[in-house]
Amino acid sequence: MKTAVPYKPLSGITGQTIRIRGQVQGVGFRPMVWRLAHEHGLTGQVLNDGEGVLIYAWGTHRKMNAFLIRLREEAPVLAHIDSIDQAPIKGQMPPLDFKIVDSLIGSIQTGVLADVATCPACLTETTDPRNRRFRYPFTNCIHCGPRFSIIKNIPYDRQRTTMENFLMCSDCVEEYRDPKNRRFHAQPNACPNCGPKVQLLDNKGRRMASSNPIAEAAVLLGQGFIVALKGMGGFQLACSGMNNDAVGRLRKRKHRWDKPFAMMAEDVHQVRGWCHVGLEEESLLTSAMNPIVLLQKKDPSAIAESVAPGQQNLGVMLPGTPLHHLLMREVEEILVMTSGNVSDEPIAYGDTEALDRLAGIADYFLIHNRPIHMRTDDSVCRIFRGKPLMIRRSRGYSPSPIKMSEPFIKSILACGGHLKNTFCLGRGHSAHVSHHIGDLENYESLTSFKEGIEHFINLLEIQPEVVAFDLHPDILSTQYARQLKGVEKIAVQHHHAHIAACMAEHGLKNEKVIGVAFDGSGYGTDGAVWGGEFLLADFRDFVRAAHLEYTPLPGGSAAIREPWRCAAACLHHVYGNDMAALNIDFVKKLDQGRWKLLQKMITKNQNCPPSSSMGRLFDAVASLLGVRDVITYEGQAAVELEQLADQACHESYGWDDVTQDSPMIVRLQTLIVAVVEDILRGTSASKISARFHNSVADMTVSVCNRIEQTTGLRQVVLGGGVFQNIFLLNRLVTRLEESKFRVHIPRQVPVNDGGISLGQAAIANARCGKHV
């Protein structure tokens, strides 16, 4: 990734100190500098240090100018230059040649490179019988391979990685020391003679006798067994994607009953056999980041229905390491490739830990002896309107920084939320959003969260002066933040953080926007459960301009797991006791004993927190339509409601029931009555779903128009997990743009809770600015 940097012509200078900052270590920058210096006849030296790359160069003005121009134009593909600063060297004699010298350790300001998928050159070597790395599963070079997952500290040198105990053979040393070789200072450089080795174990930890563990694992997969595979950033669980029995056993053992599994294919050609792949999807699939990409499924399909039950999309990735490439060539079929964990736990990454935690799931283990220092789960993306849309930002992307338009006044740690947790460390113009931690539901996840923060602080040498956290007093990330000593503490409202994350990504600085935050739940400033919010927001503060009207959430978190509770509460809210007379299947099938208990809770306001959640409204409609009464993963009812929607339907219920209060209240009665009447008329569930989605889009535009009339604001920022719904997002963005609004959606960070740590950091920075 090359960055244009303004060029300062040199005149009358024979020596220059050139300081390059950015993502410039571990990407082949020094060999590129060495090559250009030799081609232009310059003398001097280049080295890595805590701030990036440092060059001392002497030459004629003409040669120096040409060198500097090419330095910018020919930066390595994985490099990202933030700045190039120049200063004259005076009073020193130029050396006789140009050298690459050892790293200097100082205050660390440089970027840390994410793990990188196998490059074409390395892949070619693993398939060439004449090459010494033929079929070697740890082949890498300066352009690819593990980075973040093996780094213990920077500057990025071998002795500060988990490769420190693998002594290079003479051939590898020769490559490592040769500036003309693409393995020059490639820290994980290795070969079959000196590098890591693969072995196959059973689930008791006993080594299987095999001359080719990868080929043997492929045979086992073909026979329907489940294999735990040690990948770049942790263990993955693999089985045949065309064997319903194998997928069913994996679901049962992993306790993952319905949530779709990701898949791995050998190449794009194989993916096209099962999914529709456009040019943008192909580019994302084959990128160095190597994410899982959501693709539309072809129908009919030989892929097991249990891989993604009831879904129109499949999450597919290509091999990201030589180990994966070699395995996929052997199996010759598409595989399920899912995170190596029991549901709700972090991914396993240590060998002993994996054998302990995954022995009840996997039949066999394909492992190796290169340690993983920091676990990183797979990233997930999709294409929306021709550009990537992040769903989970992790391996391949983190910890590469997100650039801020305004610098951080103090170093900041933002602790993120409860679900899909990430944290963020901010300093200078860089926001380092962490890899995906997951839901902070248990001790294991909290430990992973704490270890990740400690590693980032150590790796980046950022000592937080300010800690930002969610308003909710009971979630683990907030409790962690509150117990920290010697830091300024700033609580941030959940939905404000959603909007600020998108604002920060798009460089909106301190201008006010209309923020639309739709999600399942977030702690409100009044103690209620928010989730259907229209905010007038900048980084420092927000005003609640409008929201969905409050309805009771019977049983609190139980209503999230059981959408029928939300449906019953909505019907009772609109019809009162008359709901019993409604001639719809939902009412007929309602367990009267459980409903009477819920009714009593609602009437007495016992364990029924008020909720303005758009996510819970989607759950309610899904249950009314018979889609889902009880869920097994977060957002399942809403996901299945979207899958049901008729893409050809553009009709709407005309939902525009908004009060003139401050904040405005969006009433539910018009919408719920319209849905019930459609059910009574026998309208298809797919058409009702589409009309509901269209109505949400129309209502949102209507409220934004009302806000614009009183404020003049025409920038709309979207945030919250509801906007992972592509049917809704597409129709809403279209309608907003037709109404002449400028619409911003997050792309570098997830629109869900995985992005709020960035928003928390941006808000905390703005509030710090009040005192400066």
PDB file of all heavy atoms in Angstrom, residues 523-551:
ATOM      1  N   TYR A 523     -26.398   0.636  26.829  1.00  0.00           N
ATOM      2  CA  TYR A 523     -26.837   1.296  28.065  1.00  0.00           C
ATOM      3  C   TYR A 523     -27.044   2.786  27.815  1.00  0.00           C
ATOM      4  O   TYR A 523     -26.130   3.496  27.392  1.00  0.00           O
ATOM      5  CB  TYR A 523     -25.788   1.072  29.143  1.00  0.00           C
ATOM      6  CG  TYR A 523     -26.222   1.404  30.546  1.00  0.00           C
ATOM      7  CD1 TYR A 523     -26.979   0.503  31.281  1.00  0.00           C
ATOM      8  CD2 TYR A 523     -25.851   2.600  31.149  1.00  0.00           C
ATOM      9  CE1 TYR A 523     -27.362   0.783  32.588  1.00  0.00           C
ATOM     10  CE2 TYR A 523     -26.219   2.898  32.447  1.00  0.00           C
ATOM     11  CZ  TYR A 523     -26.981   1.992  33.163  1.00  0.00           C
ATOM     12  OH  TYR A 523     -27.358   2.285  34.455  1.00  0.00           O
ATOM     13  N   GLY A 524     -28.262   3.264  28.073  1.00  0.00           N
ATOM     14  CA  GLY A 524     -28.592   4.669  27.833  1.00  0.00           C
ATOM     15  C   GLY A 524     -28.274   5.552  29.018  1.00  0.00           C
ATOM     16  O   GLY A 524     -28.076   5.076  30.144  1.00  0.00           O
ATOM     17  N   THR A 525     -28.235   6.847  28.781  1.00  0.00           N
ATOM     18  CA  THR A 525     -27.944   7.792  29.857  1.00  0.00           C
ATOM     19  C   THR A 525     -29.051   7.842  30.898  1.00  0.00           C
ATOM     20  O   THR A 525     -28.834   8.317  32.021  1.00  0.00           O
ATOM     21  CB  THR A 525     -27.733   9.204  29.278  1.00  0.00           C
ATOM     22  OG1 THR A 525     -28.880   9.575  28.509  1.00  0.00           O
ATOM     23  CG2 THR A 525     -26.493   9.247  28.385  1.00  0.00           C
ATOM     24  N   ASP A 526     -30.250   7.333  30.540  1.00  0.00           N
ATOM     25  CA  ASP A 526     -31.358   7.288  31.499  1.00  0.00           C
ATOM     26  C   ASP A 526     -31.491   5.910  32.145  1.00  0.00           C
ATOM     27  O   ASP A 526     -32.450   5.653  32.877  1.00  0.00           O
ATOM     28  CB  ASP A 526     -32.669   7.666  30.811  1.00  0.00           C
ATOM     29  CG  ASP A 526     -33.007   6.764  29.623  1.00  0.00           C
ATOM     30  OD1 ASP A 526     -32.189   5.871  29.307  1.00  0.00           O
ATOM     31  OD2 ASP A 526     -34.071   6.959  29.002  1.00  0.00           O
ATOM     32  N   GLY A 527     -30.538   5.021  31.875  1.00  0.00           N
ATOM     33  CA  GLY A 527     -30.575   3.681  32.445  1.00  0.00           C
ATOM     34  C   GLY A 527     -31.404   2.689  31.659  1.00  0.00           C
ATOM     35  O   GLY A 527     -31.446   1.505  31.999  1.00  0.00           O
ATOM     36  N   ALA A 528     -32.065   3.151  30.596  1.00  0.00           N
ATOM     37  CA  ALA A 528     -32.869   2.262  29.759  1.00  0.00           C
ATOM     38  C   ALA A 528     -31.983   1.556  28.735  1.00  0.00           C
ATOM     39  O   ALA A 528     -30.808   1.895  28.550  1.00  0.00           O
ATOM     40  CB  ALA A 528     -33.969   3.055  29.058  1.00  0.00           C
ATOM     41  N   VAL A 529     -32.574   0.568  28.059  1.00  0.00           N
ATOM     42  CA  VAL A 529     -31.865  -0.154  26.996  1.00  0.00           C
ATOM     43  C   VAL A 529     -32.131   0.568  25.687  1.00  0.00           C
ATOM     44  O   VAL A 529     -33.245   0.531  25.169  1.00  0.00           O
ATOM     45  CB  VAL A 529     -32.340  -1.620  26.909  1.00  0.00           C
ATOM     46  CG1 VAL A 529     -31.620  -2.346  25.777  1.00  0.00           C
ATOM     47  CG2 VAL A 529     -32.142  -2.345  28.228  1.00  0.00           C
ATOM     48  N   TRP A 530     -31.102   1.250  25.166  1.00  0.00           N
ATOM     49  CA  TRP A 530     -31.261   1.965  23.903  1.00  0.00           C
ATOM     50  C   TRP A 530     -30.908   1.050  22.730  1.00  0.00           C
ATOM     51  O   TRP A 530     -30.297   0.008  22.903  1.00  0.00           O
ATOM     52  CB  TRP A 530     -30.338   3.183  23.878  1.00  0.00           C
ATOM     53  CG  TRP A 530     -30.724   4.291  24.816  1.00  0.00           C
ATOM     54  CD1 TRP A 530     -31.655   4.256  25.813  1.00  0.00           C
ATOM     55  CD2 TRP A 530     -30.161   5.610  24.845  1.00  0.00           C
ATOM     56  NE1 TRP A 530     -31.711   5.466  26.467  1.00  0.00           N
ATOM     57  CE2 TRP A 530     -30.804   6.320  25.890  1.00  0.00           C
ATOM     58  CE3 TRP A 530     -29.179   6.244  24.105  1.00  0.00           C
ATOM     59  CZ2 TRP A 530     -30.485   7.641  26.180  1.00  0.00           C
ATOM     60  CZ3 TRP A 530     -28.862   7.568  24.399  1.00  0.00           C
ATOM     61  CH2 TRP A 530     -29.520   8.264  25.423  1.00  0.00           C
ATOM     62  N   GLY A 531     -31.298   1.496  21.520  1.00  0.00           N
ATOM     63  CA  GLY A 531     -30.959   0.706  20.346  1.00  0.00           C
ATOM     64  C   GLY A 531     -31.636   1.148  19.065  1.00  0.00           C
ATOM     65  O   GLY A 531     -31.369   0.595  18.003  1.00  0.00           O
ATOM     66  N   GLY A 532     -32.495   2.166  19.146  1.00  0.00           N
ATOM     67  CA  GLY A 532     -33.125   2.731  17.948  1.00  0.00           C
ATOM     68  C   GLY A 532     -32.995   4.234  18.009  1.00  0.00           C
ATOM     69  O   GLY A 532     -33.968   4.958  18.208  1.00  0.00           O
ATOM     70  N   GLU A 533     -31.747   4.732  17.793  1.00  0.00           N
ATOM     71  CA  GLU A 533     -31.395   6.097  18.181  1.00  0.00           C
ATOM     72  C   GLU A 533     -31.062   7.007  16.997  1.00  0.00           C
ATOM     73  O   GLU A 533     -30.398   6.589  16.042  1.00  0.00           O
ATOM     74  CB  GLU A 533     -30.172   6.054  19.110  1.00  0.00           C
ATOM     75  CG  GLU A 533     -30.298   5.081  20.262  1.00  0.00           C
ATOM     76  CD  GLU A 533     -31.538   5.300  21.117  1.00  0.00           C
ATOM     77  OE1 GLU A 533     -31.820   6.474  21.459  1.00  0.00           O
ATOM     78  OE2 GLU A 533     -32.225   4.317  21.428  1.00  0.00           O
ATOM     79  N   PHE A 534     -31.509   8.254  17.115  1.00  0.00           N
ATOM     80  CA  PHE A 534     -31.127   9.334  16.207  1.00  0.00           C
ATOM     81  C   PHE A 534     -30.439  10.397  17.060  1.00  0.00           C
ATOM     82  O   PHE A 534     -31.063  10.984  17.961  1.00  0.00           O
ATOM     83  CB  PHE A 534     -32.353   9.934  15.518  1.00  0.00           C
ATOM     84  CG  PHE A 534     -33.077   8.984  14.607  1.00  0.00           C
ATOM     85  CD1 PHE A 534     -34.001   8.078  15.128  1.00  0.00           C
ATOM     86  CD2 PHE A 534     -32.852   8.988  13.233  1.00  0.00           C
ATOM     87  CE1 PHE A 534     -34.686   7.203  14.296  1.00  0.00           C
ATOM     88  CE2 PHE A 534     -33.520   8.108  12.396  1.00  0.00           C
ATOM     89  CZ  PHE A 534     -34.437   7.205  12.930  1.00  0.00           C
ATOM     90  N   LEU A 535     -29.161  10.613  16.801  1.00  0.00           N
ATOM     91  CA  LEU A 535     -28.364  11.517  17.626  1.00  0.00           C
ATOM     92  C   LEU A 535     -27.882  12.713  16.810  1.00  0.00           C
ATOM     93  O   LEU A 535     -27.518  12.569  15.637  1.00  0.00           O
ATOM     94  CB  LEU A 535     -27.142  10.788  18.197  1.00  0.00           C
ATOM     95  CG  LEU A 535     -27.369   9.445  18.896  1.00  0.00           C
ATOM     96  CD1 LEU A 535     -26.034   8.869  19.366  1.00  0.00           C
ATOM     97  CD2 LEU A 535     -28.337   9.576  20.067  1.00  0.00           C
ATOM     98  N   LEU A 536     -27.840  13.875  17.444  1.00  0.00           N
ATOM     99  CA  LEU A 536     -27.080  15.009  16.917  1.00  0.00           C
ATOM    100  C   LEU A 536     -25.723  14.926  17.593  1.00  0.00           C
ATOM    101  O   LEU A 536     -25.610  15.141  18.799  1.00  0.00           O
ATOM    102  CB  LEU A 536     -27.768  16.340  17.252  1.00  0.00           C
ATOM    103  CG  LEU A 536     -29.189  16.527  16.725  1.00  0.00           C
ATOM    104  CD1 LEU A 536     -29.746  17.877  17.159  1.00  0.00           C
ATOM    105  CD2 LEU A 536     -29.218  16.415  15.220  1.00  0.00           C
ATOM    106  N   ALA A 537     -24.706  14.595  16.822  1.00  0.00           N
ATOM    107  CA  ALA A 537     -23.447  14.205  17.458  1.00  0.00           C
ATOM    108  C   ALA A 537     -22.250  14.880  16.829  1.00  0.00           C
ATOM    109  O   ALA A 537     -22.205  15.138  15.623  1.00  0.00           O
ATOM    110  CB  ALA A 537     -23.273  12.687  17.374  1.00  0.00           C
ATOM    111  N   ASP A 538     -21.272  15.199  17.686  1.00  0.00           N
ATOM    112  CA  ASP A 538     -19.897  15.436  17.261  1.00  0.00           C
ATOM    113  C   ASP A 538     -19.036  14.533  18.153  1.00  0.00           C
ATOM    114  O   ASP A 538     -19.572  13.657  18.839  1.00  0.00           O
ATOM    115  CB  ASP A 538     -19.502  16.911  17.349  1.00  0.00           C
ATOM    116  CG  ASP A 538     -19.713  17.506  18.742  1.00  0.00           C
ATOM    117  OD1 ASP A 538     -19.759  16.725  19.730  1.00  0.00           O
ATOM    118  OD2 ASP A 538     -19.821  18.732  18.860  1.00  0.00           O
ATOM    119  N   PHE A 539     -17.735  14.738  18.157  1.00  0.00           N
ATOM    120  CA  PHE A 539     -16.906  13.847  18.961  1.00  0.00           C
ATOM    121  C   PHE A 539     -17.079  14.082  20.458  1.00  0.00           C
ATOM    122  O   PHE A 539     -17.038  13.146  21.250  1.00  0.00           O
ATOM    123  CB  PHE A 539     -15.428  13.988  18.581  1.00  0.00           C
ATOM    124  CG  PHE A 539     -15.077  13.312  17.286  1.00  0.00           C
ATOM    125  CD1 PHE A 539     -14.488  14.019  16.258  1.00  0.00           C
ATOM    126  CD2 PHE A 539     -15.341  11.974  17.091  1.00  0.00           C
ATOM    127  CE1 PHE A 539     -14.159  13.401  15.063  1.00  0.00           C
ATOM    128  CE2 PHE A 539     -15.024  11.340  15.907  1.00  0.00           C
ATOM    129  CZ  PHE A 539     -14.429  12.059  14.881  1.00  0.00           C
ATOM    130  N   ARG A 540     -17.304  15.311  20.848  1.00  0.00           N
ATOM    131  CA  ARG A 540     -17.338  15.603  22.286  1.00  0.00           C
ATOM    132  C   ARG A 540     -18.642  15.174  22.943  1.00  0.00           C
ATOM    133  O   ARG A 540     -18.647  14.726  24.087  1.00  0.00           O
ATOM    134  CB  ARG A 540     -17.110  17.095  22.522  1.00  0.00           C
ATOM    135  CG  ARG A 540     -15.677  17.524  22.294  1.00  0.00           C
ATOM    136  CD  ARG A 540     -15.446  18.955  22.727  1.00  0.00           C
ATOM    137  NE  ARG A 540     -14.048  19.324  22.581  1.00  0.00           N
ATOM    138  CZ  ARG A 540     -13.562  20.514  22.882  1.00  0.00           C
ATOM    139  NH1 ARG A 540     -14.367  21.462  23.341  1.00  0.00           N
ATOM    140  NH2 ARG A 540     -12.278  20.772  22.728  1.00  0.00           N
ATOM    141  N   ASP A 541     -19.745  15.326  22.229  1.00  0.00           N
ATOM    142  CA  ASP A 541     -21.021  15.125  22.900  1.00  0.00           C
ATOM    143  C   ASP A 541     -22.097  14.763  21.890  1.00  0.00           C
ATOM    144  O   ASP A 541     -21.855  14.735  20.682  1.00  0.00           O
ATOM    145  CB  ASP A 541     -21.415  16.387  23.670  1.00  0.00           C
ATOM    146  CG  ASP A 541     -22.186  16.066  24.955  1.00  0.00           C
ATOM    147  OD1 ASP A 541     -22.679  14.927  25.083  1.00  0.00           O
ATOM    148  OD2 ASP A 541     -22.282  16.948  25.824  1.00  0.00           O
ATOM    149  N   PHE A 542     -23.292  14.516  22.407  1.00  0.00           N
ATOM    150  CA  PHE A 542     -24.431  14.236  21.533  1.00  0.00           C
ATOM    151  C   PHE A 542     -25.714  14.670  22.222  1.00  0.00           C
ATOM    152  O   PHE A 542     -25.774  14.824  23.445  1.00  0.00           O
ATOM    153  CB  PHE A 542     -24.504  12.739  21.193  1.00  0.00           C
ATOM    154  CG  PHE A 542     -24.961  11.874  22.355  1.00  0.00           C
ATOM    155  CD1 PHE A 542     -26.299  11.536  22.512  1.00  0.00           C
ATOM    156  CD2 PHE A 542     -24.055  11.404  23.294  1.00  0.00           C
ATOM    157  CE1 PHE A 542     -26.727  10.754  23.581  1.00  0.00           C
ATOM    158  CE2 PHE A 542     -24.464  10.616  24.360  1.00  0.00           C
ATOM    159  CZ  PHE A 542     -25.812  10.296  24.500  1.00  0.00           C
ATOM    160  N   VAL A 543     -26.744  14.873  21.416  1.00  0.00           N
ATOM    161  CA  VAL A 543     -28.101  15.119  21.902  1.00  0.00           C
ATOM    162  C   VAL A 543     -28.989  14.063  21.272  1.00  0.00           C
ATOM    163  O   VAL A 543     -28.904  13.803  20.064  1.00  0.00           O
ATOM    164  CB  VAL A 543     -28.599  16.526  21.527  1.00  0.00           C
ATOM    165  CG1 VAL A 543     -30.063  16.700  21.898  1.00  0.00           C
ATOM    166  CG2 VAL A 543     -27.738  17.595  22.197  1.00  0.00           C
ATOM    167  N   ARG A 544     -29.831  13.460  22.063  1.00  0.00           N
ATOM    168  CA  ARG A 544     -30.762  12.453  21.552  1.00  0.00           C
ATOM    169  C   ARG A 544     -31.923  13.164  20.859  1.00  0.00           C
ATOM    170  O   ARG A 544     -32.784  13.760  21.501  1.00  0.00           O
ATOM    171  CB  ARG A 544     -31.257  11.598  22.709  1.00  0.00           C
ATOM    172  CG  ARG A 544     -31.861  10.255  22.313  1.00  0.00           C
ATOM    173  CD  ARG A 544     -32.343   9.518  23.540  1.00  0.00           C
ATOM    174  NE  ARG A 544     -32.686   8.136  23.277  1.00  0.00           N
ATOM    175  CZ  ARG A 544     -33.381   7.367  24.113  1.00  0.00           C
ATOM    176  NH1 ARG A 544     -33.790   7.879  25.280  1.00  0.00           N
ATOM    177  NH2 ARG A 544     -33.668   6.112  23.798  1.00  0.00           N
ATOM    178  N   ALA A 545     -31.929  13.106  19.522  1.00  0.00           N
ATOM    179  CA  ALA A 545     -32.932  13.843  18.752  1.00  0.00           C
ATOM    180  C   ALA A 545     -34.227  13.061  18.600  1.00  0.00           C
ATOM    181  O   ALA A 545     -35.315  13.658  18.534  1.00  0.00           O
ATOM    182  CB  ALA A 545     -32.374  14.191  17.369  1.00  0.00           C
ATOM    183  N   ALA A 546     -34.133  11.744  18.503  1.00  0.00           N
ATOM    184  CA  ALA A 546     -35.318  10.892  18.334  1.00  0.00           C
ATOM    185  C   ALA A 546     -34.946   9.462  18.690  1.00  0.00           C
ATOM    186  O   ALA A 546     -33.767   9.090  18.686  1.00  0.00           O
ATOM    187  CB  ALA A 546     -35.842  10.967  16.905  1.00  0.00           C
ATOM    188  N   HIS A 547     -35.964   8.662  18.974  1.00  0.00           N
ATOM    189  CA  HIS A 547     -35.721   7.242  19.243  1.00  0.00           C
ATOM    190  C   HIS A 547     -37.025   6.468  19.124  1.00  0.00           C
ATOM    191  O   HIS A 547     -38.125   7.053  19.180  1.00  0.00           O
ATOM    192  CB  HIS A 547     -35.097   7.035  20.630  1.00  0.00           C
ATOM    193  CG  HIS A 547     -35.960   7.486  21.781  1.00  0.00           C
ATOM    194  ND1 HIS A 547     -36.908   6.678  22.376  1.00  0.00           N
ATOM    195  CD2 HIS A 547     -36.007   8.663  22.456  1.00  0.00           C
ATOM    196  CE1 HIS A 547     -37.501   7.327  23.367  1.00  0.00           C
ATOM    197  NE2 HIS A 547     -36.969   8.543  23.434  1.00  0.00           N
ATOM    198  N   LEU A 548     -36.912   5.163  18.959  1.00  0.00           N
ATOM    199  CA  LEU A 548     -38.095   4.316  19.014  1.00  0.00           C
ATOM    200  C   LEU A 548     -38.714   4.430  20.399  1.00  0.00           C
ATOM    201  O   LEU A 548     -38.003   4.561  21.401  1.00  0.00           O
ATOM    202  CB  LEU A 548     -37.731   2.851  18.751  1.00  0.00           C
ATOM    203  CG  LEU A 548     -37.223   2.448  17.367  1.00  0.00           C
ATOM    204  CD1 LEU A 548     -37.121   0.928  17.280  1.00  0.00           C
ATOM    205  CD2 LEU A 548     -38.114   2.975  16.263  1.00  0.00           C
ATOM    206  N   GLU A 549     -40.033   4.335  20.443  1.00  0.00           N
ATOM    207  CA  GLU A 549     -40.668   4.421  21.754  1.00  0.00           C
ATOM    208  C   GLU A 549     -40.275   3.213  22.600  1.00  0.00           C
ATOM    209  O   GLU A 549     -39.950   2.139  22.087  1.00  0.00           O
ATOM    210  CB  GLU A 549     -42.187   4.500  21.614  1.00  0.00           C
ATOM    211  CG  GLU A 549     -42.872   3.231  21.155  1.00  0.00           C
ATOM    212  CD  GLU A 549     -44.394   3.342  21.226  1.00  0.00           C
ATOM    213  OE1 GLU A 549     -44.901   3.761  22.291  1.00  0.00           O
ATOM    214  OE2 GLU A 549     -45.059   3.008  20.229  1.00  0.00           O
ATOM    215  N   TYR A 550     -40.261   3.431  23.907  1.00  0.00           N
ATOM    216  CA  TYR A 550     -39.912   2.366  24.825  1.00  0.00           C
ATOM    217  C   TYR A 550     -41.013   1.294  24.869  1.00  0.00           C
ATOM    218  O   TYR A 550     -42.203   1.615  24.952  1.00  0.00           O
ATOM    219  CB  TYR A 550     -39.707   2.904  26.236  1.00  0.00           C
ATOM    220  CG  TYR A 550     -38.422   3.674  26.426  1.00  0.00           C
ATOM    221  CD1 TYR A 550     -38.405   4.880  27.132  1.00  0.00           C
ATOM    222  CD2 TYR A 550     -37.217   3.199  25.933  1.00  0.00           C
ATOM    223  CE1 TYR A 550     -37.232   5.581  27.341  1.00  0.00           C
ATOM    224  CE2 TYR A 550     -36.028   3.897  26.123  1.00  0.00           C
ATOM    225  CZ  TYR A 550     -36.055   5.088  26.823  1.00  0.00           C
ATOM    226  OH  TYR A 550     -34.879   5.781  27.018  1.00  0.00           O
ATOM    227  N   THR A 551     -40.596   0.049  24.818  1.00  0.00           N
ATOM    228  CA  THR A 551     -41.475  -1.072  25.109  1.00  0.00           C
ATOM    229  C   THR A 551     -40.754  -1.944  26.125  1.00  0.00           C
ATOM    230  O   THR A 551     -39.527  -1.942  26.210  1.00  0.00           O
ATOM    231  CB  THR A 551     -41.778  -1.909  23.844  1.00  0.00           C
ATOM    232  OG1 THR A 551     -40.549  -2.328  23.241  1.00  0.00           O
ATOM    233  CG2 THR A 551     -42.585  -1.103  22.842  1.00  0.00           C
TER     234      THR A 551
END
